[in-house]
Amino acid sequence: MDGDDEMDFGPVDGVVGTRDVPDSVRALSSLPRIDYADRFTLLSTDADASPERWARAMFGDVPSAGELLIWRGFLGLRLSPGRSPATVAGWRIDGRGDDWIRLGAASWFLTADLLVQTAGGRVSLTTFLHYARFPGHVVWPPLAAVHRRLAPAVLRAAATRLAARPAPA
């Protein structure tokens, strides 16, 4: 590809650890206690989209095979089947504001929130987990390493999708 055809988005900044995610962001979680948190922010994008549109650009309306393997297979998350205006990739939309949307899902051993925020030409994806039972402490850490490698690419791919699909009129 020549330089004119390539998408150029800003860098992705990330923080890992409940103490490193700002209090104002942690306050948007629905979890009773946050045992794991990370936040990745695409620092510059021209895509003008709602948080829900960003979430759908990241994850789609239904989960991909890889997402199903991780979310249902390894984490046991109970996801809603099929497409619905109340879900994103099977995660229920369980909170929203002008510049954020929160997706939630749970299994017998952990509860998860995905928070998508937009503001000032930036978009952030924050993951919160609460370990309801011991297996959460064992299952998530190896998956977290993969998750932290994939999250920046998820943000960049969503920006590319949104740039290719202008907002509906």
Side-chain angles (χ1 to χ4, degrees):
M1 272 189 356
D2 66 26
D4 293 336
D5 293 337
E6 292 182 19
M7 293 278 137
D8 185 28
F9 303 109
V12 174
D13 184 32
V15 296
V16 177
T18 57
R19 288 178 293 240
D20 295 325
V21 173
D23 290 341
S24 62
V25 175
R26 284 196 320 265
L28 296 174
S29 173
S30 68
L31 304 179
R33 185 182 76 238
I34 299 171
D35 296 310
Y36 173 90
D38 65 35
R39 179 177 175 84
F40 293 90
T41 302
L42 181 62
L43 297 175
S44 176
T45 176
D46 292 334
D48 183 23
S50 69
E52 181 173 343
R53 195 156 173 255
W54 270 103
R56 291 187 188 283
M58 287 180 207
F59 305 114
D61 291 320
V62 295
S64 69
E67 291 166 341
L68 281 174
L69 175 65
I70 294 168
W71 295 339
R72 272 198 185 148
F74 295 131
L75 297 176
L77 295 175
R78 295 179 294 275
L79 302 174
S80 298
R83 298 174 190 271
S84 166
T87 64
V88 173
W91 292 66
R92 76 188 172 288
I93 298 171
D94 69 0
R96 67 172 77 224
D98 290 340
D99 64 351
W100 62 275
I101 190 168
R102 185 180 60 233
L103 311 176
S107 72
W108 67 272
F109 61 89
L110 63 80
T111 305
D113 282 344
L114 296 177
L115 179 70
V116 177
Q117 292 177 284
T118 59
R122 297 175 177 215
V123 62
S124 298
L125 172 63
T126 306
T127 301
F128 298 109
L129 294 177
H130 167 63
Y131 305 137
R133 293 187 177 79
F134 179 74
H137 294 274
V138 176
V139 171
W140 179 248
L143 292 176
V146 175
H147 164 79
R148 290 190 299 265
R149 261 187 280 131
L150 293 176
V154 167
L155 286 164
R156 288 186 187 106
T160 299
R161 283 185 201 99
L162 289 170
R165 289 183 286 168

